Amino acid sequence: MRQARIVTDTEQKRINTYLNTRRHAVRDQTIFAVSFNAGLRAMEIAALTVGDAYTDDGTIRDVINLTTTKGGYARRVFVNKRLHTALRRYRACIKTNTPHKPLFPSQKGGHFSGNTMCQLFLEVYAACGIHGASSHSGRRTMITRLADKGISVHVLAAIAGHRNIATTQRYLTVNDAMIARAVELV
């Protein structure tokens, strides 16, 4: 199975520029922020509710407790500063404080399906000319960047919600810059 492409910083800027032109620009930018900063799968993003991201008074949660995951195992997702900023901006766009309502409503107002969320990612990547990217690209990009910064595979597995580090290792890509930095540590 071919792995999702890792997205460069330049490509991420191109994505954000393109997303500014879309009808639901802030929603879509926040969806991509969740993908790249929390490493969630498309089905996990689609299942998020307002109450997952915000408290009853509208405060952004520091930790999102996921119950809808690939393996069915609940996990905690920590909200970093970039994602916090995106969620703060998005808060003004949300038309409800009802905790069980979808965080990212579809055009019909309900939850996206996992498949429809995948299609949104594919549509945006295609419009930006980023070939080989998929809904998993944000997740893989995040995990690889953290590995590049020296985060242990055990921590990466916990972030990704993997029960086996061998699964996490498949996400990682070694590049020349990583090798050059590694040999300088000798």
Side-chain angles (χ1 to χ4, degrees), residues 70-108:
K70 182 178 177 181
Y73 301 102
R75 80 172 195 269
R76 296 168 24 117
V77 176
F78 289 81
V79 176
N80 68 17
K81 290 177 185 175
R82 283 186 180 165
L83 182 52
H84 190 278
T85 299
L87 289 169
R88 185 176 62 242
R89 183 172 175 230
Y90 183 58
R91 184 70 186 111
C93 299
I94 298 175
K95 296 179 172 90
T96 182
N97 287 331
T98 309
H100 69 276
K101 292 289 184 178
L103 180 60
F104 303 114
S106 67
Q107 288 185 11
K108 295 180 182 177

PDB file of all heavy atoms in Angstrom, residues 70-108:
ATOM      1  N   LYS A  70      -9.904   4.672  14.881  1.00  0.00           N
ATOM      2  CA  LYS A  70      -9.793   3.526  13.984  1.00  0.00           C
ATOM      3  C   LYS A  70      -9.901   2.195  14.721  1.00  0.00           C
ATOM      4  O   LYS A  70     -10.641   1.315  14.330  1.00  0.00           O
ATOM      5  CB  LYS A  70      -8.477   3.605  13.211  1.00  0.00           C
ATOM      6  CG  LYS A  70      -8.282   2.486  12.220  1.00  0.00           C
ATOM      7  CD  LYS A  70      -6.980   2.661  11.469  1.00  0.00           C
ATOM      8  CE  LYS A  70      -6.738   1.514  10.517  1.00  0.00           C
ATOM      9  NZ  LYS A  70      -5.466   1.665   9.815  1.00  0.00           N
ATOM     10  N   GLY A  71      -9.181   2.055  15.800  1.00  0.00           N
ATOM     11  CA  GLY A  71      -9.187   0.788  16.525  1.00  0.00           C
ATOM     12  C   GLY A  71     -10.271   0.696  17.579  1.00  0.00           C
ATOM     13  O   GLY A  71     -10.418  -0.327  18.239  1.00  0.00           O
ATOM     14  N   GLY A  72     -11.027   1.784  17.743  1.00  0.00           N
ATOM     15  CA  GLY A  72     -12.071   1.788  18.753  1.00  0.00           C
ATOM     16  C   GLY A  72     -11.561   2.073  20.155  1.00  0.00           C
ATOM     17  O   GLY A  72     -12.298   1.967  21.123  1.00  0.00           O
ATOM     18  N   TYR A  73     -10.267   2.435  20.264  1.00  0.00           N
ATOM     19  CA  TYR A  73      -9.683   2.742  21.561  1.00  0.00           C
ATOM     20  C   TYR A  73      -9.714   4.249  21.768  1.00  0.00           C
ATOM     21  O   TYR A  73      -9.227   5.007  20.929  1.00  0.00           O
ATOM     22  CB  TYR A  73      -8.222   2.270  21.629  1.00  0.00           C
ATOM     23  CG  TYR A  73      -8.051   0.794  21.389  1.00  0.00           C
ATOM     24  CD1 TYR A  73      -7.602   0.314  20.170  1.00  0.00           C
ATOM     25  CD2 TYR A  73      -8.348  -0.114  22.393  1.00  0.00           C
ATOM     26  CE1 TYR A  73      -7.444  -1.046  19.946  1.00  0.00           C
ATOM     27  CE2 TYR A  73      -8.194  -1.481  22.181  1.00  0.00           C
ATOM     28  CZ  TYR A  73      -7.749  -1.931  20.958  1.00  0.00           C
ATOM     29  OH  TYR A  73      -7.600  -3.268  20.755  1.00  0.00           O
ATOM     30  N   ALA A  74     -10.263   4.684  22.881  1.00  0.00           N
ATOM     31  CA  ALA A  74     -10.287   6.111  23.195  1.00  0.00           C
ATOM     32  C   ALA A  74      -8.850   6.595  23.375  1.00  0.00           C
ATOM     33  O   ALA A  74      -7.969   5.845  23.800  1.00  0.00           O
ATOM     34  CB  ALA A  74     -11.088   6.350  24.466  1.00  0.00           C
ATOM     35  N   ARG A  75      -8.627   7.856  22.994  1.00  0.00           N
ATOM     36  CA  ARG A  75      -7.304   8.437  23.225  1.00  0.00           C
ATOM     37  C   ARG A  75      -7.420   9.940  23.441  1.00  0.00           C
ATOM     38  O   ARG A  75      -8.404  10.559  23.072  1.00  0.00           O
ATOM     39  CB  ARG A  75      -6.327   8.108  22.107  1.00  0.00           C
ATOM     40  CG  ARG A  75      -6.407   8.907  20.855  1.00  0.00           C
ATOM     41  CD  ARG A  75      -5.205   8.529  19.953  1.00  0.00           C
ATOM     42  NE  ARG A  75      -5.012   9.473  18.893  1.00  0.00           N
ATOM     43  CZ  ARG A  75      -5.554   9.382  17.697  1.00  0.00           C
ATOM     44  NH1 ARG A  75      -6.336   8.369  17.407  1.00  0.00           N
ATOM     45  NH2 ARG A  75      -5.313  10.297  16.785  1.00  0.00           N
ATOM     46  N   ARG A  76      -6.380  10.476  24.046  1.00  0.00           N
ATOM     47  CA  ARG A  76      -6.322  11.908  24.331  1.00  0.00           C
ATOM     48  C   ARG A  76      -5.429  12.577  23.303  1.00  0.00           C
ATOM     49  O   ARG A  76      -4.348  12.086  23.010  1.00  0.00           O
ATOM     50  CB  ARG A  76      -5.785  12.131  25.741  1.00  0.00           C
ATOM     51  CG  ARG A  76      -6.704  11.567  26.805  1.00  0.00           C
ATOM     52  CD  ARG A  76      -6.086  11.493  28.194  1.00  0.00           C
ATOM     53  NE  ARG A  76      -5.004  12.394  28.476  1.00  0.00           N
ATOM     54  CZ  ARG A  76      -5.025  13.346  29.396  1.00  0.00           C
ATOM     55  NH1 ARG A  76      -6.081  13.498  30.156  1.00  0.00           N
ATOM     56  NH2 ARG A  76      -3.988  14.135  29.594  1.00  0.00           N
ATOM     57  N   VAL A  77      -5.899  13.712  22.809  1.00  0.00           N
ATOM     58  CA  VAL A  77      -5.151  14.481  21.820  1.00  0.00           C
ATOM     59  C   VAL A  77      -4.885  15.858  22.414  1.00  0.00           C
ATOM     60  O   VAL A  77      -5.827  16.584  22.758  1.00  0.00           O
ATOM     61  CB  VAL A  77      -5.952  14.615  20.500  1.00  0.00           C
ATOM     62  CG1 VAL A  77      -5.221  15.496  19.514  1.00  0.00           C
ATOM     63  CG2 VAL A  77      -6.234  13.239  19.919  1.00  0.00           C
ATOM     64  N   PHE A  78      -3.632  16.201  22.552  1.00  0.00           N
ATOM     65  CA  PHE A  78      -3.263  17.486  23.127  1.00  0.00           C
ATOM     66  C   PHE A  78      -3.311  18.577  22.050  1.00  0.00           C
ATOM     67  O   PHE A  78      -2.864  18.369  20.926  1.00  0.00           O
ATOM     68  CB  PHE A  78      -1.872  17.398  23.764  1.00  0.00           C
ATOM     69  CG  PHE A  78      -1.875  16.575  25.022  1.00  0.00           C
ATOM     70  CD1 PHE A  78      -1.838  15.185  24.959  1.00  0.00           C
ATOM     71  CD2 PHE A  78      -1.960  17.177  26.260  1.00  0.00           C
ATOM     72  CE1 PHE A  78      -1.872  14.417  26.114  1.00  0.00           C
ATOM     73  CE2 PHE A  78      -1.998  16.409  27.426  1.00  0.00           C
ATOM     74  CZ  PHE A  78      -1.952  15.030  27.344  1.00  0.00           C
ATOM     75  N   VAL A  79      -3.842  19.727  22.429  1.00  0.00           N
ATOM     76  CA  VAL A  79      -3.998  20.852  21.511  1.00  0.00           C
ATOM     77  C   VAL A  79      -2.768  21.746  21.632  1.00  0.00           C
ATOM     78  O   VAL A  79      -2.528  22.345  22.689  1.00  0.00           O
ATOM     79  CB  VAL A  79      -5.292  21.648  21.830  1.00  0.00           C
ATOM     80  CG1 VAL A  79      -5.408  22.876  20.947  1.00  0.00           C
ATOM     81  CG2 VAL A  79      -6.512  20.746  21.697  1.00  0.00           C
ATOM     82  N   ASN A  80      -1.976  21.826  20.544  1.00  0.00           N
ATOM     83  CA  ASN A  80      -0.794  22.681  20.574  1.00  0.00           C
ATOM     84  C   ASN A  80      -1.176  24.142  20.277  1.00  0.00           C
ATOM     85  O   ASN A  80      -2.344  24.453  20.011  1.00  0.00           O
ATOM     86  CB  ASN A  80       0.295  22.161  19.633  1.00  0.00           C
ATOM     87  CG  ASN A  80      -0.067  22.263  18.164  1.00  0.00           C
ATOM     88  OD1 ASN A  80      -0.982  22.981  17.751  1.00  0.00           O
ATOM     89  ND2 ASN A  80       0.655  21.542  17.332  1.00  0.00           N
ATOM     90  N   LYS A  81      -0.203  25.041  20.329  1.00  0.00           N
ATOM     91  CA  LYS A  81      -0.478  26.480  20.158  1.00  0.00           C
ATOM     92  C   LYS A  81      -1.064  26.799  18.787  1.00  0.00           C
ATOM     93  O   LYS A  81      -1.978  27.619  18.679  1.00  0.00           O
ATOM     94  CB  LYS A  81       0.798  27.288  20.384  1.00  0.00           C
ATOM     95  CG  LYS A  81       1.243  27.307  21.824  1.00  0.00           C
ATOM     96  CD  LYS A  81       2.537  28.061  22.002  1.00  0.00           C
ATOM     97  CE  LYS A  81       3.006  27.948  23.448  1.00  0.00           C
ATOM     98  NZ  LYS A  81       4.318  28.564  23.641  1.00  0.00           N
ATOM     99  N   ARG A  82      -0.547  26.168  17.750  1.00  0.00           N
ATOM    100  CA  ARG A  82      -1.068  26.436  16.394  1.00  0.00           C
ATOM    101  C   ARG A  82      -2.529  26.003  16.266  1.00  0.00           C
ATOM    102  O   ARG A  82      -3.352  26.712  15.704  1.00  0.00           O
ATOM    103  CB  ARG A  82      -0.229  25.725  15.339  1.00  0.00           C
ATOM    104  CG  ARG A  82       1.074  26.401  15.062  1.00  0.00           C
ATOM    105  CD  ARG A  82       1.764  25.720  13.917  1.00  0.00           C
ATOM    106  NE  ARG A  82       3.029  26.381  13.647  1.00  0.00           N
ATOM    107  CZ  ARG A  82       3.976  25.882  12.921  1.00  0.00           C
ATOM    108  NH1 ARG A  82       3.823  24.690  12.363  1.00  0.00           N
ATOM    109  NH2 ARG A  82       5.085  26.537  12.726  1.00  0.00           N
ATOM    110  N   LEU A  83      -2.832  24.833  16.783  1.00  0.00           N
ATOM    111  CA  LEU A  83      -4.200  24.355  16.713  1.00  0.00           C
ATOM    112  C   LEU A  83      -5.107  25.204  17.605  1.00  0.00           C
ATOM    113  O   LEU A  83      -6.242  25.517  17.235  1.00  0.00           O
ATOM    114  CB  LEU A  83      -4.287  22.880  17.111  1.00  0.00           C
ATOM    115  CG  LEU A  83      -5.671  22.247  17.035  1.00  0.00           C
ATOM    116  CD1 LEU A  83      -6.321  22.468  15.662  1.00  0.00           C
ATOM    117  CD2 LEU A  83      -5.586  20.760  17.354  1.00  0.00           C
ATOM    118  N   HIS A  84      -4.608  25.619  18.745  1.00  0.00           N
ATOM    119  CA  HIS A  84      -5.371  26.499  19.633  1.00  0.00           C
ATOM    120  C   HIS A  84      -5.745  27.790  18.895  1.00  0.00           C
ATOM    121  O   HIS A  84      -6.899  28.245  18.971  1.00  0.00           O
ATOM    122  CB  HIS A  84      -4.555  26.797  20.895  1.00  0.00           C
ATOM    123  CG  HIS A  84      -5.325  27.488  21.970  1.00  0.00           C
ATOM    124  ND1 HIS A  84      -5.536  28.847  21.979  1.00  0.00           N
ATOM    125  CD2 HIS A  84      -5.958  26.998  23.063  1.00  0.00           C
ATOM    126  CE1 HIS A  84      -6.246  29.165  23.030  1.00  0.00           C
ATOM    127  NE2 HIS A  84      -6.522  28.065  23.713  1.00  0.00           N
ATOM    128  N   THR A  85      -4.787  28.368  18.188  1.00  0.00           N
ATOM    129  CA  THR A  85      -5.042  29.591  17.423  1.00  0.00           C
ATOM    130  C   THR A  85      -6.117  29.357  16.364  1.00  0.00           C
ATOM    131  O   THR A  85      -7.029  30.171  16.195  1.00  0.00           O
ATOM    132  CB  THR A  85      -3.732  30.094  16.770  1.00  0.00           C
ATOM    133  OG1 THR A  85      -2.796  30.377  17.814  1.00  0.00           O
ATOM    134  CG2 THR A  85      -3.962  31.333  15.931  1.00  0.00           C
ATOM    135  N   ALA A  86      -6.024  28.240  15.657  1.00  0.00           N
ATOM    136  CA  ALA A  86      -7.017  27.916  14.621  1.00  0.00           C
ATOM    137  C   ALA A  86      -8.397  27.717  15.237  1.00  0.00           C
ATOM    138  O   ALA A  86      -9.402  28.208  14.697  1.00  0.00           O
ATOM    139  CB  ALA A  86      -6.590  26.669  13.847  1.00  0.00           C
ATOM    140  N   LEU A  87      -8.464  27.024  16.369  1.00  0.00           N
ATOM    141  CA  LEU A  87      -9.752  26.793  17.025  1.00  0.00           C
ATOM    142  C   LEU A  87     -10.340  28.087  17.584  1.00  0.00           C
ATOM    143  O   LEU A  87     -11.561  28.274  17.578  1.00  0.00           O
ATOM    144  CB  LEU A  87      -9.611  25.745  18.137  1.00  0.00           C
ATOM    145  CG  LEU A  87      -9.391  24.310  17.657  1.00  0.00           C
ATOM    146  CD1 LEU A  87      -8.985  23.405  18.823  1.00  0.00           C
ATOM    147  CD2 LEU A  87     -10.624  23.770  16.955  1.00  0.00           C
ATOM    148  N   ARG A  88      -9.488  28.994  18.042  1.00  0.00           N
ATOM    149  CA  ARG A  88      -9.971  30.296  18.532  1.00  0.00           C
ATOM    150  C   ARG A  88     -10.593  31.085  17.377  1.00  0.00           C
ATOM    151  O   ARG A  88     -11.677  31.655  17.507  1.00  0.00           O
ATOM    152  CB  ARG A  88      -8.836  31.085  19.183  1.00  0.00           C
ATOM    153  CG  ARG A  88      -9.319  32.394  19.823  1.00  0.00           C
ATOM    154  CD  ARG A  88      -8.236  33.157  20.559  1.00  0.00           C
ATOM    155  NE  ARG A  88      -7.177  33.547  19.648  1.00  0.00           N
ATOM    156  CZ  ARG A  88      -5.908  33.143  19.745  1.00  0.00           C
ATOM    157  NH1 ARG A  88      -5.540  32.335  20.709  1.00  0.00           N
ATOM    158  NH2 ARG A  88      -5.012  33.547  18.883  1.00  0.00           N
ATOM    159  N   ARG A  89      -9.930  31.077  16.249  1.00  0.00           N
ATOM    160  CA  ARG A  89     -10.456  31.773  15.065  1.00  0.00           C
ATOM    161  C   ARG A  89     -11.764  31.125  14.590  1.00  0.00           C
ATOM    162  O   ARG A  89     -12.709  31.811  14.217  1.00  0.00           O
ATOM    163  CB  ARG A  89      -9.403  31.739  13.960  1.00  0.00           C
ATOM    164  CG  ARG A  89      -9.797  32.472  12.718  1.00  0.00           C
ATOM    165  CD  ARG A  89      -8.630  32.565  11.746  1.00  0.00           C
ATOM    166  NE  ARG A  89      -9.074  33.179  10.520  1.00  0.00           N
ATOM    167  CZ  ARG A  89      -8.865  32.694   9.318  1.00  0.00           C
ATOM    168  NH1 ARG A  89      -8.172  31.577   9.168  1.00  0.00           N
ATOM    169  NH2 ARG A  89      -9.311  33.307   8.261  1.00  0.00           N
ATOM    170  N   TYR A  90     -11.805  29.814  14.617  1.00  0.00           N
ATOM    171  CA  TYR A  90     -12.976  29.081  14.143  1.00  0.00           C
ATOM    172  C   TYR A  90     -14.179  29.273  15.065  1.00  0.00           C
ATOM    173  O   TYR A  90     -15.322  29.238  14.611  1.00  0.00           O
ATOM    174  CB  TYR A  90     -12.631  27.596  14.005  1.00  0.00           C
ATOM    175  CG  TYR A  90     -13.744  26.747  13.458  1.00  0.00           C
ATOM    176  CD1 TYR A  90     -14.304  27.023  12.211  1.00  0.00           C
ATOM    177  CD2 TYR A  90     -14.248  25.673  14.176  1.00  0.00           C
ATOM    178  CE1 TYR A  90     -15.328  26.235  11.700  1.00  0.00           C
ATOM    179  CE2 TYR A  90     -15.268  24.885  13.670  1.00  0.00           C
ATOM    180  CZ  TYR A  90     -15.806  25.171  12.433  1.00  0.00           C
ATOM    181  OH  TYR A  90     -16.820  24.410  11.924  1.00  0.00           O
ATOM    182  N   ARG A  91     -13.935  29.504  16.337  1.00  0.00           N
ATOM    183  CA  ARG A  91     -15.028  29.629  17.325  1.00  0.00           C
ATOM    184  C   ARG A  91     -16.066  30.644  16.885  1.00  0.00           C
ATOM    185  O   ARG A  91     -17.269  30.443  17.081  1.00  0.00           O
ATOM    186  CB  ARG A  91     -14.450  29.997  18.695  1.00  0.00           C
ATOM    187  CG  ARG A  91     -15.497  30.042  19.799  1.00  0.00           C
ATOM    188  CD  ARG A  91     -15.984  28.629  20.096  1.00  0.00           C
ATOM    189  NE  ARG A  91     -17.062  28.644  21.036  1.00  0.00           N
ATOM    190  CZ  ARG A  91     -18.336  28.334  20.743  1.00  0.00           C
ATOM    191  NH1 ARG A  91     -18.668  27.987  19.537  1.00  0.00           N
ATOM    192  NH2 ARG A  91     -19.257  28.357  21.660  1.00  0.00           N
ATOM    193  N   ALA A  92     -15.637  31.745  16.277  1.00  0.00           N
ATOM    194  CA  ALA A  92     -16.556  32.791  15.828  1.00  0.00           C
ATOM    195  C   ALA A  92     -17.469  32.306  14.696  1.00  0.00           C
ATOM    196  O   ALA A  92     -18.531  32.888  14.470  1.00  0.00           O
ATOM    197  CB  ALA A  92     -15.762  34.016  15.372  1.00  0.00           C
ATOM    198  N   CYS A  93     -17.083  31.254  14.004  1.00  0.00           N
ATOM    199  CA  CYS A  93     -17.861  30.732  12.871  1.00  0.00           C
ATOM    200  C   CYS A  93     -18.901  29.698  13.294  1.00  0.00           C
ATOM    201  O   CYS A  93     -19.788  29.377  12.510  1.00  0.00           O
ATOM    202  CB  CYS A  93     -16.933  30.089  11.845  1.00  0.00           C
ATOM    203  SG  CYS A  93     -15.754  31.226  11.150  1.00  0.00           S
ATOM    204  N   ILE A  94     -18.768  29.179  14.502  1.00  0.00           N
ATOM    205  CA  ILE A  94     -19.676  28.130  14.950  1.00  0.00           C
ATOM    206  C   ILE A  94     -21.002  28.761  15.357  1.00  0.00           C
ATOM    207  O   ILE A  94     -21.036  29.712  16.125  1.00  0.00           O
ATOM    208  CB  ILE A  94     -19.068  27.336  16.124  1.00  0.00           C
ATOM    209  CG1 ILE A  94     -17.792  26.650  15.664  1.00  0.00           C
ATOM    210  CG2 ILE A  94     -20.058  26.317  16.661  1.00  0.00           C
ATOM    211  CD1 ILE A  94     -17.055  25.939  16.770  1.00  0.00           C
ATOM    212  N   LYS A  95     -22.063  28.219  14.824  1.00  0.00           N
ATOM    213  CA  LYS A  95     -23.393  28.790  15.053  1.00  0.00           C
ATOM    214  C   LYS A  95     -24.135  28.174  16.232  1.00  0.00           C
ATOM    215  O   LYS A  95     -25.273  28.520  16.498  1.00  0.00           O
ATOM    216  CB  LYS A  95     -24.221  28.648  13.780  1.00  0.00           C
ATOM    217  CG  LYS A  95     -23.655  29.430  12.611  1.00  0.00           C
ATOM    218  CD  LYS A  95     -24.490  29.251  11.364  1.00  0.00           C
ATOM    219  CE  LYS A  95     -24.067  30.162  10.257  1.00  0.00           C
ATOM    220  NZ  LYS A  95     -23.089  29.681   9.371  1.00  0.00           N
ATOM    221  N   THR A  96     -23.495  27.268  16.945  1.00  0.00           N
ATOM    222  CA  THR A  96     -24.162  26.591  18.060  1.00  0.00           C
ATOM    223  C   THR A  96     -23.187  26.352  19.203  1.00  0.00           C
ATOM    224  O   THR A  96     -21.985  26.256  18.982  1.00  0.00           O
ATOM    225  CB  THR A  96     -24.757  25.236  17.612  1.00  0.00           C
ATOM    226  OG1 THR A  96     -25.423  24.645  18.714  1.00  0.00           O
ATOM    227  CG2 THR A  96     -23.692  24.287  17.101  1.00  0.00           C
ATOM    228  N   ASN A  97     -23.724  26.297  20.408  1.00  0.00           N
ATOM    229  CA  ASN A  97     -22.933  25.904  21.582  1.00  0.00           C
ATOM    230  C   ASN A  97     -23.304  24.503  22.030  1.00  0.00           C
ATOM    231  O   ASN A  97     -22.835  24.039  23.063  1.00  0.00           O
ATOM    232  CB  ASN A  97     -23.178  26.886  22.739  1.00  0.00           C
ATOM    233  CG  ASN A  97     -22.507  28.219  22.498  1.00  0.00           C
ATOM    234  OD1 ASN A  97     -21.489  28.298  21.832  1.00  0.00           O
ATOM    235  ND2 ASN A  97     -23.093  29.277  23.039  1.00  0.00           N
ATOM    236  N   THR A  98     -24.153  23.840  21.265  1.00  0.00           N
ATOM    237  CA  THR A  98     -24.620  22.509  21.621  1.00  0.00           C
ATOM    238  C   THR A  98     -23.467  21.516  21.520  1.00  0.00           C
ATOM    239  O   THR A  98     -22.931  21.303  20.428  1.00  0.00           O
ATOM    240  CB  THR A  98     -25.788  22.090  20.708  1.00  0.00           C
ATOM    241  OG1 THR A  98     -26.759  23.135  20.702  1.00  0.00           O
ATOM    242  CG2 THR A  98     -26.414  20.801  21.190  1.00  0.00           C
ATOM    243  N   PRO A  99     -23.072  20.920  22.641  1.00  0.00           N
ATOM    244  CA  PRO A  99     -21.874  20.063  22.659  1.00  0.00           C
ATOM    245  C   PRO A  99     -21.899  18.888  21.691  1.00  0.00           C
ATOM    246  O   PRO A  99     -20.852  18.503  21.175  1.00  0.00           O
ATOM    247  CB  PRO A  99     -21.808  19.566  24.104  1.00  0.00           C
ATOM    248  CG  PRO A  99     -22.612  20.526  24.896  1.00  0.00           C
ATOM    249  CD  PRO A  99     -23.660  21.055  23.977  1.00  0.00           C
ATOM    250  N   HIS A 100     -23.061  18.299  21.427  1.00  0.00           N
ATOM    251  CA  HIS A 100     -23.093  17.099  20.582  1.00  0.00           C
ATOM    252  C   HIS A 100     -23.200  17.414  19.081  1.00  0.00           C
ATOM    253  O   HIS A 100     -23.150  16.506  18.266  1.00  0.00           O
ATOM    254  CB  HIS A 100     -24.243  16.178  21.006  1.00  0.00           C
ATOM    255  CG  HIS A 100     -25.601  16.749  20.707  1.00  0.00           C
ATOM    256  ND1 HIS A 100     -26.220  17.632  21.556  1.00  0.00           N
ATOM    257  CD2 HIS A 100     -26.436  16.580  19.656  1.00  0.00           C
ATOM    258  CE1 HIS A 100     -27.383  17.982  21.037  1.00  0.00           C
ATOM    259  NE2 HIS A 100     -27.536  17.355  19.888  1.00  0.00           N
ATOM    260  N   LYS A 101     -23.298  18.692  18.716  1.00  0.00           N
ATOM    261  CA  LYS A 101     -23.373  19.066  17.296  1.00  0.00           C
ATOM    262  C   LYS A 101     -22.000  18.897  16.652  1.00  0.00           C
ATOM    263  O   LYS A 101     -20.965  18.994  17.308  1.00  0.00           O
ATOM    264  CB  LYS A 101     -23.840  20.513  17.143  1.00  0.00           C
ATOM    265  CG  LYS A 101     -25.270  20.741  17.561  1.00  0.00           C
ATOM    266  CD  LYS A 101     -26.213  20.123  16.565  1.00  0.00           C
ATOM    267  CE  LYS A 101     -27.654  20.443  16.929  1.00  0.00           C
ATOM    268  NZ  LYS A 101     -28.596  19.911  15.996  1.00  0.00           N
ATOM    269  N   PRO A 102     -21.958  18.652  15.337  1.00  0.00           N
ATOM    270  CA  PRO A 102     -20.671  18.466  14.663  1.00  0.00           C
ATOM    271  C   PRO A 102     -19.794  19.716  14.761  1.00  0.00           C
ATOM    272  O   PRO A 102     -20.294  20.825  14.575  1.00  0.00           O
ATOM    273  CB  PRO A 102     -21.040  18.190  13.211  1.00  0.00           C
ATOM    274  CG  PRO A 102     -22.505  18.240  13.102  1.00  0.00           C
ATOM    275  CD  PRO A 102     -23.088  18.545  14.432  1.00  0.00           C
ATOM    276  N   LEU A 103     -18.528  19.513  15.038  1.00  0.00           N
ATOM    277  CA  LEU A 103     -17.590  20.633  15.053  1.00  0.00           C
ATOM    278  C   LEU A 103     -17.449  21.201  13.650  1.00  0.00           C
ATOM    279  O   LEU A 103     -17.389  22.405  13.456  1.00  0.00           O
ATOM    280  CB  LEU A 103     -16.228  20.180  15.593  1.00  0.00           C
ATOM    281  CG  LEU A 103     -15.146  21.255  15.671  1.00  0.00           C
ATOM    282  CD1 LEU A 103     -15.577  22.403  16.590  1.00  0.00           C
ATOM    283  CD2 LEU A 103     -13.837  20.651  16.161  1.00  0.00           C
ATOM    284  N   PHE A 104     -17.405  20.314  12.671  1.00  0.00           N
ATOM    285  CA  PHE A 104     -17.275  20.715  11.270  1.00  0.00           C
ATOM    286  C   PHE A 104     -18.507  20.247  10.508  1.00  0.00           C
ATOM    287  O   PHE A 104     -18.510  19.153   9.943  1.00  0.00           O
ATOM    288  CB  PHE A 104     -16.002  20.126  10.653  1.00  0.00           C
ATOM    289  CG  PHE A 104     -14.753  20.511  11.393  1.00  0.00           C
ATOM    290  CD1 PHE A 104     -14.001  19.554  12.055  1.00  0.00           C
ATOM    291  CD2 PHE A 104     -14.341  21.833  11.445  1.00  0.00           C
ATOM    292  CE1 PHE A 104     -12.847  19.905  12.741  1.00  0.00           C
ATOM    293  CE2 PHE A 104     -13.192  22.192  12.144  1.00  0.00           C
ATOM    294  CZ  PHE A 104     -12.445  21.237  12.784  1.00  0.00           C
ATOM    295  N   PRO A 105     -19.566  21.049  10.506  1.00  0.00           N
ATOM    296  CA  PRO A 105     -20.789  20.611   9.828  1.00  0.00           C
ATOM    297  C   PRO A 105     -20.613  20.580   8.314  1.00  0.00           C
ATOM    298  O   PRO A 105     -19.912  21.408   7.733  1.00  0.00           O
ATOM    299  CB  PRO A 105     -21.827  21.657  10.241  1.00  0.00           C
ATOM    300  CG  PRO A 105     -21.039  22.842  10.680  1.00  0.00           C
ATOM    301  CD  PRO A 105     -19.712  22.347  11.144  1.00  0.00           C
ATOM    302  N   SER A 106     -21.265  19.609   7.710  1.00  0.00           N
ATOM    303  CA  SER A 106     -21.281  19.518   6.250  1.00  0.00           C
ATOM    304  C   SER A 106     -22.234  20.576   5.711  1.00  0.00           C
ATOM    305  O   SER A 106     -22.877  21.298   6.480  1.00  0.00           O
ATOM    306  CB  SER A 106     -21.746  18.124   5.833  1.00  0.00           C
ATOM    307  OG  SER A 106     -23.111  17.959   6.200  1.00  0.00           O
ATOM    308  N   GLN A 107     -22.383  20.649   4.407  1.00  0.00           N
ATOM    309  CA  GLN A 107     -23.292  21.630   3.812  1.00  0.00           C
ATOM    310  C   GLN A 107     -24.731  21.404   4.269  1.00  0.00           C
ATOM    311  O   GLN A 107     -25.520  22.338   4.334  1.00  0.00           O
ATOM    312  CB  GLN A 107     -23.205  21.585   2.292  1.00  0.00           C
ATOM    313  CG  GLN A 107     -21.910  22.166   1.774  1.00  0.00           C
ATOM    314  CD  GLN A 107     -21.869  22.222   0.258  1.00  0.00           C
ATOM    315  OE1 GLN A 107     -22.858  22.013  -0.421  1.00  0.00           O
ATOM    316  NE2 GLN A 107     -20.698  22.530  -0.272  1.00  0.00           N
ATOM    317  N   LYS A 108     -25.058  20.167   4.605  1.00  0.00           N
ATOM    318  CA  LYS A 108     -26.410  19.858   5.065  1.00  0.00           C
ATOM    319  C   LYS A 108     -26.562  20.045   6.576  1.00  0.00           C
ATOM    320  O   LYS A 108     -27.642  19.832   7.113  1.00  0.00           O
ATOM    321  CB  LYS A 108     -26.785  18.424   4.673  1.00  0.00           C
ATOM    322  CG  LYS A 108     -26.877  18.233   3.173  1.00  0.00           C
ATOM    323  CD  LYS A 108     -27.249  16.803   2.827  1.00  0.00           C
ATOM    324  CE  LYS A 108     -27.295  16.632   1.310  1.00  0.00           C
ATOM    325  NZ  LYS A 108     -27.591  15.251   0.940  1.00  0.00           N
TER     326      LYS A 108
END
